[in-house]
Amino acid sequence: MLEERLVTLSTPPPSSSASPEANSTVLEIWGGKPLSGQVRVSGAKNAALAIMAGGLLCSGDCRIRNVPSLVDVRRMGAVLRSLGVKLQASGDTIDIDARHIGTERAPYELVSQLRASFFVVGPLVARLGEASVPLPGGCAIGARPVDLHVRGLQAMGADVQIEHGVVRARVPGGRLKGANIYLDYPSVGATETLMMAATLADGETTIENAAQEPEVADLADFCRSMGANISGAGTKTIVIDGVPRLGDTDYAIIPDRIEAGTFLVAAAITRSSLDLYPVIPSHLAAAISKLEAIGMRFTHPGSRTLRITPANGIKAVDIETLPYPGFPTDMQAQFMALLAIADGSSTITETVFENRLRHVAELNRMGANIKVKGNVAIVRGVPFLSGAPVSATDLRASAALVLAGLAAEGKTTISGLQHLDRGYENLEDKLRGIGAKLERVPAVEV
Ligand code: UD1
């Protein structure tokens, strides 16, 4: 296992897909099986990606624990290696040695596969005084510009040019300067890029209208564990007092609230009771509150264990995605699968990404009755879904199709598994462990 992970981390992934197998296999799910038992929640993907980028800030020994084994994590590993950083993985622990960073240039082939790898721009400028990172481009859910990252770096004194699709940042004098930055939108990535950049800047930086996501707070805690001076992370105002150098750390990342939320919906959609461990319940407040309104009940058998139990039927509710602590866009597709079989009509409004309702067509293929008007989906509950061949359009859409398949009558066959493999560690084993019937099989050529 150790050897396998060392190899996978050191080998850049193939150009356009998660793994060669993901494109040539499909997931078959036989629905209608009740679930029961306990699910172990992995480390948070989005925290892991930002924290791995943050490893570039470290001039000492950097150990990160509770890292999920995911295609996206391997891609971030490949980006770091391409910058000349040494990486070693063992189980869920990654050691990063960024004492010496070989180059400030991140290669397009790698950055284009993982949007989050653009976040290396902040730590690179902070450490080296320059960075050259290709624009990551749009993706299945939206255009995803990086203007807020760029404007923040400029406010800190970087000269930033975008030439031939590459963001080139250079700091005259080599060291960024503290600045007051107001983000027009509380972007998670921009907050993380700028917070990392500010840890090594000269003087104090204030980020106003900062993203409050738990992954931002986790990244701040990680930076603090290396000696950074950060306060207010997790609130709208983050203050960073730059220090000359960051040193050794050994840091465990938080549990994945989106993975946990996905399993909560798995329980709700199959009308089952499940225990999730470990979770930080406050990170799941918006999802829990909607699930209570839908008809589920929650108890805490242990401090980091959350039990979900069906209490009533599945009632319709309205949902609007918002920055944290609002309802997460990363849970929107999964809740749509659940509300597809609710008693009554729900509206789901997507405000964070402009193109994140592509799963509607696939859920409708399974018998759902969902109409889209602009960024609003009107979901009229149907008594049951029926298994069908469907195709995943993005990471969370793929999770929604798995959930729909767990509830549907008959067999659902999901293709496009490269999306699923980006963000869910051992999903199939975890689901089988609680009673689901599913199998990954070779795709039949047509
Ligand atoms: C992160 C998460 C992603 C989640 C999203 C919103 C990671 C690796 N990914 O993505 O799973 O869905 O937060 O919770 O942590 N925007 C701009 N200009 C910018 C930056 C963003 O206009 O410079 C816009 C985006 O296009 C989008 C919105 O802001 O419409 C939110 O994006 P952002 O919060 O930056 O998401 P990410 O950090 O990319």
Side-chain angles (χ1 to χ4, degrees), residues 46 116 144-149 185 187-189 329-330 352-353 356:
N46 287 349
R144 307 186 81 169
V146 291
D147 53 313
L148 299 172
H149 305 237
Y185 185 91
S187 153
V188 174
T329 176
D330 286 352
V352 180
F353 290 108
R356 209 174 194 179

Side-chain angles (χ1 to χ4, degrees), residues 77-133:
V79 171
L80 296 183
R81 291 181 64 86
S82 77
L83 297 169
V85 167
K86 291 193 195 111
L87 277 182
Q88 276 229 332
S90 162
D92 67 357
T93 299
I94 295 182
D95 289 320
I96 298 179
D97 179 353
R99 283 180 183 82
H100 175 72
I101 300 175
T103 171
E104 82 292 355
R105 286 166 193 262
Y108 175 73
E109 312 79 72
L110 297 180
V111 176
S112 61
Q113 291 177 33
L114 175 67
R115 282 195 47 84
S117 61
F118 182 78
F119 304 172
V120 299
V121 72
L124 279 179
V125 181
R127 273 294 296 284
L128 304 176
E130 55 184 338
S132 178
V133 184

Side-chain angles (χ1 to χ4, degrees), residues 17 27 94 96 104 150 158 206 212 233 298 334 357 418 420:
S17 66
L27 186 60
I94 295 182
I96 298 179
E104 82 292 355
V150 168
T206 304
Q212 302 175 72
F298 291 87
Q334 300 90 315
L357 294 171
Q418 71 275 16
L420 195 63

Side-chain angles (χ1 to χ4, degrees), residues 257-269:
R257 66 193 166 102
I258 306 300
E259 187 200 15
T262 302
F263 278 102
L264 293 180
V265 178
I269 206 166

Side-chain angles (χ1 to χ4, degrees), residues 362-380:
E362 300 304 304
L363 291 171
N364 283 345
R365 302 192 78 242
M366 298 178 71
N369 180 355
I370 308 171
K371 290 199 169 57
V372 175
K373 284 192 179 163
N375 65 335
V376 181
I378 299 143
V379 186
R380 295 204 172 84

